[in-house]
Amino acid sequence: MSVSQRTLCGFAHTLCSPSPYSSTSFFSFRLFSVALSHSSVSHSTMPRNQRRGGSNSPRWVEKPKCNSPSASSSLSDAFSNATTEAVTGRLNTLRVAESKPQSPVSASSIQFGSLGLTNHGPVHEQKAQWKPKAYGTVTGGTTVETNIAPVDQTTALGNGIRLESNGKLNPVLSKLFSGKLLENFIVDNSTYSLAQVRATFYPKFENEKTDQEVRTRMIDVVSKGLATLEVSLKHSGSLFMYAGHEGGAYAKNSFGNIYTAVGVFVLGRTFREAWGPEASSKKQAEFNEFLERNRMCISMELVTAVLGDHGQRPHEDYVVVTAVTELGCGKPKFYSTPDVIAFCRKWRLPTNHVWLFSTRKSVTSFFAAYDALCEEGTATSVCKALDEVADISIPGSKDHIKVQGEILEGLVARVVSHDSSEHMKQVLRDYPPPPLEGADQHLGSSLRDICAANRTDEKEQIKALLENVGTSFCPNYVDWFGNGVADSRSRNADRSVLSKFLQARPADSSTAKVQEMVRLMREKRYPAAFKCYHNFHKINSVTSDDLHFKMVIHVHSDSAFRRYQKEMRYNPGLWPLYRGFFVDLNLYKANKGRSAEFSTETNALPETGSGTNGASGKDDLADEDANLMIKLKFLTYKIRTFLIRNGLPILFKQGEAAYRTYYLRNGIHQLPKQRALSKMLDEWAVFIRRKYGYKQLPSSTYLSEAEPFLEQYAKRSAQNQALVGAAGSLVRAEDFMAIVDGGDEEGDLQPQRDVIPSSPTPTVKEAIRKDEGLIVFFPGIPGCAKSALCKEILNAPGGLGDDRPVRSLMGDLIKGKYWGKVAEERRKKPFSILLADKNAPNEEVWSQIEDMCRSTKASAVPVVPDSEGTESNPFSLDALAVFIFRVLQRVNHPGNLDKNSPNAGYVLLMFYHLYDGKSRREFEAELIERFGSLVKIPLLEPNRSPLPECVRSTLEEGIDLYKLHTRRHGRMESTKGTYAQEWTKWEQQLRDTLFGNSEYLNSIQVPFEVAVEKVLEQLRAIAKGEYTAPSTEKRRFGAIVFAAVSLPVSDILSLLEDLGQKDPRVEGFLKDKNLNNSLTKAHVTLAHKRSHGVAAVASYGPHLHRNVPIHMCALLFSDKLAALEASPGEVDGEKINSKNEWPHVTLWTAEGIPAKEANTLPHLLAEGKATRVEINPPIEITGVLEFF
């Protein structure tokens, strides 16, 4: 069949192909779900805990609900029951065969080097041959020749590439590898491109709000019955995606390497453990065929000790399924968690531990439990606490404690459908936990054994792993050794693939969506790469008019996800930017006579960007609540990874002082445990430097030294043990580590450029030493008064408070490259303070300054104008108006940017847009992250009146004109190009408007002398080491210890005064106690973490910050203690009960007596050693319930 015929046939199926197993015709863009019937699962009567490798019996418990939240329909559309029913109904048509002895796999059906598996029948006989509806896409699979003799496994490594009879490559393929085929492929009106997503993981949604705001919103939507909060464990490993033996195996940003080989091996071994060695080959083949036939991808967390250290070396190598995705021919559809569990239990794949919180009480208790455990939580304590407060708990099939250990990376909390609880209950009833048939049998060589036996190079390990997986699961190795023929040609394709893909006409609307995404990211210059490779699975289908490639969309920075999210708000039809994004590309020529028909049919195809083609309404960003997600990590994990592992380059290259600055910069100065943590990290630094000298400890095996150190440190005290969490279960990994040639695939090892502190954070005394220099620079906009500030700093009496000389370099007076001149001056005078009087508006300049700091032993301080900013720019329109107004008042400016400049407005808009894409919070956070400090120039009066509408509209017109101009002409001057006349008119309008509002613009500015004073004050604090970086996010630090009702001291003192007037005993007791000065705080303790447990403290979460009436019933006192007996009242009709045996308010203790001894007053009273004075009737004092 020709390419054009194949394409037309594909489109015909797209539009009207009925399913052979349904009386209804389905369009291919209507997504379906595949559910699996529980009736076909082999139920074992053997208890799970008697099988080696199995987890405890999964359970779920529904707690009685105190409040029945009113149902709401605002999110019910987004989380439709119809989707759930469709998934369950359609999946029930599949019957996975029972685990019985089966005939071996036919050698003719699956063999090394065979690529033409697209049209073969089912590999094994099934009870019911279920087939999904046909997808109307062009795959090219039908043109593969299936009768070609397989290439010898040992010489061609199963690559399936056609060779001529003389052993040479087919001439067409020879041209392909040489680049001639692509070079000669000319894009014209008959050229079409087809893009099919092959593997992907969830979109990375960055919350615009702070963590606290996200938590508040989550509580709100759950409380109103609009959603359920789903929480899952974060296993510490790497992302691994599998789309079948033809679809491929993928890591987060790559494929065909040791990461994916390890993933395939572990997944294959998982099948052996689940189904038994004999039946596993059949199940592996069935599973591969199922994924291929239904174009599905499963995503997993790959946890292993052979790929480098994270927070703890796992005891076993395993995978946990985190997502199941239908790729179809449109927008990827992600299964809900109940459907993931159903899918996994049918195929006996490992699932994660999941908790559901569907009431206000449970969700607030969850966040309180995390806050209580965030600094010392381990897998045991966290799982126990969450089991107690959750409405439903579904233990994972892999027990984190047994397979990975006690060190828990964190939790992932996200908002899901309000009916998820009912859906989950139904799934748990229909799909009981499956048995592990191979748990007690020999499964062959382990991953660690294979890696240990093959230590020559990465390729040797990959080959050994794939051979041990077997042909049922891995029939060919083309993704790993596709270039292992002839003269070892590279699998990398020419960069022109991307441009030809974008130029070609889209074959369907999915392709158009991918093109739209790529164009946007390239136009906006997002930090991302679009890597193209030859698709060796399609290599035998390649002709001069039909080319096949794989594209990897590799996002280099999280800022790209944030910026893309903002674009999606303006253009809801955009597809999300996924993590782990792999696309099959097909460039081909259609029959020229049919081009018009192709165009008509393509335009008629339905859009696939709507929420109906995603997992649910959650994919529709019109409802931002549907994407609420938060990651909650634990300090015990962060100590090992962020503070110890990621700090190794600094420690070994710059020394212990720089390392101390590094870990303080990472936020521990804000933790209550700062002193204890600093002591431990300082001790670690001395220990490891003394042992290793200047030879850096490898990050991939850092736990070989860190774990024994932490174990010994924990043994010294209970406080140390709580800080470390758990230590001592070290698994020696050096002998079986995988050989990784490509670096860190997962990306959690920070690049050396990023982790080395460019300017040590001045958070403690002497943080900026007098034997190093200081660079003061200005990430601002012309008109921000930087030159005037530099003059004032130069002339300030006493400089910055020390004896270092202060110099200034004005950018407008420097010929040549300014920052090169700054570096030269730094080298000449390394201990001076240099004022870089030039705007430093972008990350490229900031990186140069970081480099200067490293090479010349200096710190750097950014000085920025203070402004509220907008959601996409750190400077507000008010600030922009002031900057332009100042520039237009200049006379004879050295840089020729003054009132005589014909395009002054355009120049300032150009600078303004250099900051585009960052909110004020992001802008400040990045500067603080890079340089450790931030100085703000007071700019606008806080109580100013709003910007006049005429000024605002003029600026907005200029911004719109700037976007039109740059879109057409790039960086061409405004006096040239299509819009030259419009620019001239706008520049004059701008002047007229600003000068017409000069009185307003002058009145809203902070006086310059005040701004100078504030800037000097901040700079001097930094120079002295008395500076604390401004927080870019309001949050509380430290773990919750107890819950209590905080009471006003004045009310307590008034009560005691009244008692003293009525009872001489009270008056006599209080006479010399001086409570007016000694009693500064008063509270009634409700529950304490150590005495009553985390769940008990967390149970008060629903009433946090609420007013609680406390009834004071009596005063008890002895010669060493005094307290008020208290009885908490009700909140919204619910009685607040204290977990304390005797609720009270401690008033006074004698010197050396701890406050907790007040609990003994009732016992002292019974022994006649204390006095009780009744308060009748009880006095009510209202306080606020708080966590401490």
Side-chain angles (χ1 to χ4, degrees):
M1 183 183 294
S2 69
V3 174
S4 60
Q5 291 172 326
R6 173 162 44 88
T7 307
L8 284 171
C9 179
F11 278 119
H13 280 289
T14 299
L15 296 172
C16 59
S17 175
S19 169
Y21 294 93
S22 172
S23 59
T24 306
S25 296
F26 296 95
F27 286 109
S28 68
F29 291 101
R30 178 181 176 186
L31 289 176
F32 63 92
S33 299
V34 181
L36 309 171
S37 172
H38 70 285
S39 61
S40 63
V41 176
S42 175
H43 297 177
S44 173
T45 57
M46 183 181 292
R48 290 290 302 278
N49 58 7
Q50 295 181 14
R51 295 178 177 271
R52 183 178 61 81
S55 63
N56 294 331
S57 299
R59 62 177 180 79
W60 59 272
V61 180
E62 182 180 17
K63 302 288 184 67
K65 300 180 180 179
C66 299
N67 301 318
S68 179
S70 60
S72 173
S73 62
S74 62
L75 277 184
S76 61
D77 291 337
F79 309 104
S80 172
N81 284 331
T83 302
T84 299
E85 293 172 3
V87 169
T88 306
R90 291 172 185 144
L91 276 168
N92 282 336
T93 61
L94 179 65
R95 297 293 184 268
V96 178
E98 299 287 345
S99 178
K100 297 178 180 179
Q102 302 288 342
S103 58
V105 181
S106 171
S108 62
S109 62
I110 296 182
Q111 57 188 354
F112 286 103
S114 68
L115 293 173
L117 299 178
T118 309
N119 293 325
H120 63 65
V123 179
H124 301 288
E125 192 174 310
Q126 296 179 343
K127 289 185 178 180
Q129 292 190 357
W130 178 90
K131 294 182 180 180
K133 63 181 182 299
Y135 286 105
T137 60
V138 182
T139 64
T142 56
T143 64
V144 178
E145 298 179 21
T146 59
N147 57 351
I148 297 175
V151 179
D152 180 67
Q153 173 77 9
T154 60
T155 59
L157 298 171
N159 53 38
I161 295 177
R162 287 194 302 241
L163 300 179
E164 297 296 306
S165 58
N166 58 6
K168 295 183 179 180
L169 278 177
N170 177 295
V172 172
L173 298 184
S174 184
K175 288 183 181 180
L176 175 67
F177 288 122
S178 67
K180 297 294 184 183
L181 204 60
L182 182 62
E183 181 181 339
N184 296 332
F185 188 91
I186 306 301
V187 177
D188 54 28
N189 287 336
S190 66
T191 305
Y192 284 82
S193 61
L194 180 70
Q196 292 179 304
V197 179
R198 211 63 190 89
T200 192
F201 192 53
Y202 290 115
K204 185 179 181 66
F205 286 107
E206 294 287 333
N207 297 318
E208 292 293 322
K209 303 181 179 71
T210 65
D211 283 358
Q212 189 58 48
E213 288 172 327
V214 171
R215 288 164 61 152
T216 301
R217 185 58 186 156
M218 285 177 164
I219 293 171
D220 187 46
V221 295
V222 172
S223 300
K224 293 177 179 177
L226 304 178
T228 295
L229 187 72
E230 177 187 286
V231 177
S232 58
L233 286 182
K234 176 68 176 76
H235 291 253
S236 188
S238 307
L239 175 62
F240 172 63
M241 295 171 287
Y242 189 71
H245 56 76
E246 289 288 324
Y250 305 89
K252 185 164 69 172
N253 295 308
S254 63
F255 67 99
N257 53 25
I258 188 65
Y259 289 92
T260 55
V262 169
V264 168
F265 177 87
V266 175
L267 182 58
R269 190 176 176 88
T270 300
F271 269 86
R272 294 184 190 178
E273 182 183 27
W275 297 97
E278 294 182 3
S280 64
S281 294
K282 178 180 184 296
K283 289 301 174 185
Q284 288 172 352
E286 287 180 1
F287 182 66
N288 272 302
E289 194 271 340
F290 179 79
L291 294 182
E292 296 289 348
R293 177 159 41 92
N294 297 297
R295 288 193 60 80
M296 296 178 69
C297 168
I298 58 169
S299 301
M300 294 156 276
E301 192 76 11
L302 172 60
V303 184
T304 172
V306 308
L307 292 176
D309 288 342
H310 292 271
Q312 184 176 20
R313 285 183 192 158
H315 304 307
E316 299 178 17
D317 304 305
Y318 65 96
V319 292
V320 171
V321 176
T322 52
V324 176
T325 316
E326 289 182 359
L327 301 174
C329 58
K331 184 177 177 182
K333 174 194 175 295
F334 293 88
Y335 277 21
S336 66
T337 298
D339 290 332
V340 169
I341 291 176
F343 178 91
C344 290
R345 288 189 173 181
K346 287 302 296 184
W347 290 106
R348 301 187 184 178
L349 294 172
T351 55
N352 202 355
H353 199 151
V354 178
W355 295 269
L356 295 180
F357 303 85
S358 55
T359 64
R360 176 179 174 81
K361 180 177 178 60
S362 64
V363 71
T364 52
S365 297
F366 159 68
F367 284 119
Y370 168 75
D371 288 339
L373 292 168
C374 62
E375 289 186 2
E376 55 192 49
T378 59
T380 296
S381 60
V382 170
C383 292
K384 179 177 183 295
L386 266 60
D387 283 344
E388 292 177 1
V389 301
D391 295 310
I392 297 179
S393 174
I394 308 96
S397 49
K398 293 289 185 182
D399 187 335
H400 191 288
I401 301 166
K402 295 179 180 179
V403 296
Q404 179 154 29
E406 284 285 2
I407 299 303
L408 179 61
E409 179 174 342
L411 303 168
V412 178
R414 63 174 184 162
V415 165
V416 296
S417 166
H418 69 283
D419 60 359
S420 285
S421 296
E422 293 303 317
H423 189 186
M424 183 67 77
K425 293 176 194 175
Q426 184 63 45
V427 165
L428 296 177
R429 283 192 292 266
D430 293 346
Y431 300 94
L436 297 179
E437 301 291 347
D440 298 317
Q441 302 183 41
H442 178 64
L443 304 179
S445 298
S446 69
L447 172 65
R448 303 180 189 191
D449 291 338
I450 294 171
C451 288
N454 297 272
R455 302 286 297 168
T456 305
D457 58 25
E458 182 179 358
K459 287 187 176 181
E460 181 193 19
Q461 285 188 335
I462 291 174
K463 183 179 178 182
L465 289 170
L466 298 179
E467 286 175 346
N468 276 271
V469 170
T471 58
S472 296
F473 209 69
C474 189
N476 62 70
Y477 306 162
V478 295
D479 279 342
W480 291 271
F481 302 108
N483 60 344
V485 297
D487 53 354
S488 300
R489 296 174 174 86
S490 172
R491 68 178 180 178
N492 295 339
D494 188 82
R495 292 183 178 181
S496 62
V497 171
L498 186 63
S499 60
K500 293 179 187 292
F501 164 66
L502 295 176
Q503 293 167 18
R505 304 172 70 180
D508 59 13
S509 59
S510 298
T511 303
K513 286 296 180 184
V514 175
Q515 288 178 328
E516 180 184 27
M517 172 188 293
V518 174
R519 287 195 186 101
L520 173 67
M521 295 177 69
R522 296 183 78 195
E523 289 172 3
K524 299 288 185 178
R525 298 182 179 179
Y526 287 0
F530 305 92
K531 306 173 185 177
C532 295
Y533 304 91
H534 297 298
N535 189 343
F536 286 97
H537 288 286
K538 304 288 187 181
I539 206 71
N540 288 339
S541 300
V542 171
T543 67
S544 59
D545 289 338
D546 188 8
L547 305 181
H548 294 267
F549 303 94
K550 280 184 180 288
M551 179 173 69
V552 181
I553 301 178
H554 182 180
V555 177
H556 295 302
S557 171
D558 285 352
S559 65
F561 291 106
R562 290 193 294 269
R563 293 167 63 186
Y564 191 88
Q565 259 180 262
K566 291 173 183 176
E567 291 293 336
M568 291 184 73
R569 288 207 298 271
Y570 301 121
N571 183 1
L574 279 173
W575 274 16
L577 180 57
Y578 299 99
R579 289 173 288 171
F581 204 166
F582 298 83
V583 183
D584 283 354
L585 299 182
N586 181 202
L587 300 177
Y588 61 93
K589 300 282 187 179
N591 187 303
K592 291 185 178 180
R594 309 287 293 188
S595 295
E597 185 175 348
F598 272 117
S599 178
T600 301
E601 291 188 359
T602 301
N603 292 333
L605 289 174
E607 287 292 328
T608 58
S610 65
T612 58
N613 202 21
S616 66
K618 286 186 64 177
D619 283 342
D620 185 355
L621 289 184
D623 181 5
E624 63 178 17
D625 290 334
N627 297 311
L628 287 176
M629 185 184 76
I630 190 171
K631 295 179 181 178
L632 305 167
K633 294 199 174 184
F634 293 95
L635 181 61
T636 51
Y637 171 83
K638 292 192 284 188
I639 287 173
R640 291 159 167 81
T641 52
F642 295 106
L643 301 181
I644 292 181
R645 182 190 64 183
N646 293 359
L648 289 174
I650 301 166
L651 175 58
F652 281 92
K653 292 188 177 182
Q654 297 190 25
E656 294 157 24
Y659 176 64
R660 179 178 175 80
T661 299
Y662 162 78
Y663 69 65
L664 287 173
R665 171 180 143 188
N666 274 270
I668 76 160
H669 62 280
Q670 297 168 308
L671 294 172
K673 292 186 177 181
Q674 176 199 342
R675 182 174 298 178
L677 194 50
S678 294
K679 180 178 181 294
M680 185 191 75
L681 293 173
D682 288 343
E683 193 170 320
W684 156 257
V686 172
F687 162 77
I688 202 64
R689 279 294 298 271
R690 184 178 298 162
K691 184 170 183 178
Y692 276 74
Y694 292 97
K695 182 182 179 183
Q696 182 178 324
L697 172 68
S699 297
S700 60
T701 56
Y702 83 98
L703 283 175
S704 295
E705 298 293 346
E707 195 71 23
F709 169 83
L710 294 173
E711 181 183 11
Q712 293 302 316
Y713 192 84
K715 290 179 179 178
R716 298 182 197 171
S717 67
Q719 291 78 10
N720 288 1
Q721 181 65 58
L723 183 67
V724 169
S729 58
L730 178 66
V731 178
R732 179 171 174 79
E734 284 77 3
D735 295 336
F736 56 71
M737 284 292 295
I739 301 170
V740 182
D741 294 338
D744 172 42
E745 161 61 28
E746 191 63 12
D748 55 358
L749 290 177
Q750 299 180 25
Q752 186 170 314
R753 176 181 61 82
D754 292 332
V755 299
I756 295 179
S758 57
S759 59
T761 309
T763 51
V764 292
K765 292 280 188 180
E766 297 301 319
I768 292 187
R769 296 157 48 184
K770 301 301 182 289
D771 61 349
E772 65 179 28
L774 182 64
I775 302 173
V776 179
F777 68 102
F778 299 85
I781 292 176
C784 68
K786 65 182 180 305
S787 297
L789 269 173
C790 288
K791 290 178 182 178
E792 294 295 330
I793 295 171
L794 282 171
N795 298 326
L800 297 185
D802 57 31
D803 55 357
R804 286 178 292 181
V806 182
R807 300 186 70 250
S808 177
L809 280 180
M810 188 174 186
D812 295 321
L813 300 179
I814 300 297
K815 295 180 179 180
K817 294 184 177 181
Y818 175 80
W819 295 106
K821 182 67 175 177
V822 172
E824 183 181 337
E825 289 296 317
R826 285 286 314 123
R827 286 189 290 268
K828 288 180 181 179
K829 298 184 179 181
F831 306 132
S832 66
I833 297 174
L834 183 63
L835 308 178
D837 183 6
K838 184 178 178 65
N839 289 302
N842 53 39
E843 296 176 4
E844 182 181 351
V845 174
W846 301 349
S847 295
Q848 291 184 50
I849 296 172
E850 287 180 303
D851 292 339
M852 275 187 272
C853 291
R854 284 194 289 269
S855 61
T856 64
K857 197 178 181 183
S859 302
V861 179
V863 180
V864 301
D866 200 3
S867 171
E868 297 91 342
T870 69
E871 65 177 13
S872 61
N873 197 294
F875 298 104
S876 65
L877 290 182
D878 306 53
L880 179 60
V882 169
F883 295 151
I884 300 176
F885 182 61
R886 288 176 176 178
V887 167
L888 293 178
Q889 295 179 88
R890 290 174 176 173
V891 179
N892 297 324
H893 186 263
N896 298 321
L897 185 61
D898 51 30
K899 69 176 186 180
N900 294 320
S901 304
N903 61 343
Y906 166 79
V907 172
L908 267 84
L909 286 178
M910 180 182 67
F911 271 94
Y912 181 76
H913 280 84
L914 289 174
Y915 297 94
D916 216 27
K918 284 188 176 72
S919 67
R920 185 71 187 190
R921 182 167 67 91
E922 294 167 344
F923 171 69
E924 291 184 1
E926 181 168 355
L927 286 170
I928 292 172
E929 174 65 22
R930 283 175 177 265
F931 302 102
S933 60
L934 184 71
V935 170
K936 296 183 179 182
I937 310 171
L939 176 66
L940 303 173
E941 293 288 358
N943 298 322
R944 65 188 183 277
S945 56
L947 191 67
E949 185 57 35
C950 59
V951 177
R952 178 178 298 277
S953 61
T954 299
L955 292 176
E956 289 175 345
E957 287 174 21
I959 290 172
D960 292 340
L961 181 58
Y962 179 84
K963 290 179 179 178
L964 287 173
H965 176 86
T966 53
R967 193 173 295 134
R968 173 165 293 191
H969 301 298
R971 302 184 67 177
M972 180 186 291
E973 294 181 10
S974 62
T975 54
K976 304 174 183 178
T978 309
Y979 305 101
Q981 292 184 0
E982 284 82 354
W983 276 118
T984 301
K985 293 178 182 177
W986 180 81
E987 292 280 359
Q988 186 57 50
Q989 178 189 349
L990 177 68
R991 285 162 170 76
D992 294 342
T993 304
L994 294 183
F995 287 121
N997 290 273
S998 58
E999 183 178 349
Y1000 168 82
L1001 292 172
N1002 284 320
S1003 69
I1004 66 173
Q1005 298 181 47
V1006 172
F1008 180 65
E1009 56 273 14
V1010 175
V1012 171
E1013 182 182 346
K1014 292 294 184 182
V1015 169
L1016 281 171
E1017 181 183 314
Q1018 295 172 75
L1019 287 173
R1020 285 168 179 159
I1022 290 174
K1024 294 177 182 178
E1026 297 174 347
Y1027 167 87
T1028 300
S1031 174
T1032 59
E1033 176 179 313
K1034 292 183 179 179
R1035 54 159 295 185
R1036 70 181 305 278
F1037 290 93
I1040 292 173
V1041 178
F1042 63 94
V1045 178
S1046 181
L1047 298 167
V1049 173
S1050 58
D1051 290 358
I1052 298 291
L1053 293 174
S1054 296
L1055 169 62
L1056 294 175
E1057 185 179 352
D1058 290 343
L1059 278 178
Q1061 293 175 357
K1062 297 177 180 178
D1063 193 313
R1065 293 174 299 172
V1066 176
E1067 182 181 20
F1069 174 77
L1070 297 176
K1071 187 174 182 180
D1072 59 347
K1073 299 301 185 292
N1074 193 23
L1075 291 184
N1076 286 325
N1077 294 324
S1078 62
L1079 186 63
T1080 58
K1081 297 178 181 179
H1083 66 263
V1084 179
T1085 299
L1086 300 176
H1088 196 285
K1089 182 167 63 175
R1090 301 285 178 237
S1091 303
H1092 309 105
V1094 172
V1097 175
S1099 67
Y1100 296 99
H1103 308 297
L1104 186 63
H1105 307 316
R1106 298 292 303 276
N1107 289 333
V1108 180
I1110 303 294
H1111 299 96
M1112 302 301 172
C1113 304
L1115 170 67
L1116 277 72
F1117 59 88
S1118 69
D1119 59 339
K1120 295 180 180 179
L1121 300 164
L1124 286 169
E1125 183 177 298
S1127 175
E1130 296 182 350
V1131 175
D1132 295 335
E1134 181 180 348
K1135 180 73 167 66
I1136 303 298
N1137 294 309
S1138 173
K1139 300 295 190 293
N1140 266 350
E1141 184 179 345
W1142 183 61
H1144 64 275
V1145 181
T1146 302
L1147 301 174
W1148 170 83
T1149 62
E1151 186 176 352
I1153 305 298
K1156 67 179 181 180
E1157 290 298 316
N1159 284 294
T1160 64
L1161 277 169
H1163 300 287
L1164 293 174
L1165 178 66
E1167 296 172 358
K1169 298 178 181 179
T1171 301
R1172 175 186 174 92
V1173 177
E1174 293 286 340
I1175 303 175
N1176 194 11
I1179 302 299
E1180 180 180 299
I1181 298 177
T1182 300
V1184 179
L1185 198 154
E1186 302 281 1
F1187 287 135
F1188 297 88

